[in-house]
Amino acid sequence: MAPAVALRRVAPRLPGRAQTLVRWGVDEDMAKTLPAYFDRYGWQFERRRTDLYRTGFAGDTGQYEIWLRATDNWVYFTINPYIRAEGEPLPTPALRLLLELNYTVNLAKFLVDNDGDIALNVELPAEGFSYSHFADALTALSHYADEHRRAFDEAMGETGGEVV
């Protein structure tokens, strides 16, 4: 499942910014491990820093950009924005859908970021992080992004929100 994403310059907006970033000099293996995981999964990626990667996929409902960031304690996989609010408050049906999905989906969670956009996120502990965790995170993000986009399109209604 190779991604078909046109790479473009985007500033990542990831949760948990206040945490200290991993210093790969302490764990040299991680600097080699994450690229090897991408290769094994069969997805192209762009390494932005030693702790930040960008990848993406073209699903049935659109193209999605995924940011992977590792900290001392967590590995984050994020599609942000999943839905861009365009400066408008999110409509009640979109917020209700977000809450309902967070109750029913496994591993991934939808969230509202500081800009009011909806993001889709998986957070996994860095301790014991393995390829199976990596693959599960990317699989969950790609599955839920595709599966729920049309419902979010409908929930956004006439508010002018943009699903990206």
Side-chain angles (χ1 to χ4, degrees):
M1 169 157 59
V5 172
L7 297 178
R8 64 192 192 299
R9 299 258 179 231
V10 176
R13 294 180 292 159
L14 303 172
R17 287 185 190 171
Q19 294 183 358
T20 305
L21 298 179
V22 170
R23 302 295 178 233
W24 296 121
V26 175
D27 185 359
E28 294 288 330
D29 289 337
M30 188 62 90
K32 295 176 187 170
T33 300
L34 290 175
Y37 287 173
F38 276 112
D39 290 342
R40 183 173 171 189
Y41 197 74
W43 278 21
Q44 298 172 0
F45 67 95
E46 177 185 3
R47 186 179 197 161
R48 290 296 190 86
R49 298 186 314 238
T50 55
D51 64 337
L52 183 65
Y53 298 81
R54 181 173 65 136
T55 189
F57 71 98
D60 293 336
T61 60
Q63 291 190 344
Y64 301 92
E65 187 173 73
I66 298 172
W67 292 91
L68 183 154
R69 185 172 62 91
T71 69
D72 288 330
N73 299 309
W74 296 96
V75 181
Y76 298 96
F77 298 77
T78 305
I79 298 174
N80 191 10
Y82 174 62
I83 296 178
R84 185 169 285 130
E86 300 296 332
E88 296 293 322
L90 291 168
T92 300
L95 294 171
R96 180 173 284 120
L97 176 62
L98 181 148
L99 292 171
E100 289 170 358
L101 290 174
N102 281 347
Y103 180 72
T104 60
V105 301
N106 295 314
L107 193 59
K109 295 300 174 208
F110 292 90
L111 60 102
V112 178
D113 71 8
N114 292 339
D115 297 326
D117 298 330
I118 295 176
L120 180 56
N121 194 52
V122 171
E123 299 176 8
L124 296 170
E127 184 175 343
F129 187 77
S130 69
Y131 174 75
S132 65
H133 300 122
F134 177 91
D136 287 346
L138 288 179
T139 300
L141 281 179
S142 56
H143 172 75
Y144 292 129
D146 244 2
E147 181 176 342
H148 299 296
R149 179 164 171 173
R150 288 186 181 98
F152 273 108
D153 280 338
E154 187 176 310
M156 290 301 291
E158 301 294 320
T159 64
E162 175 190 2
V163 180
V164 292

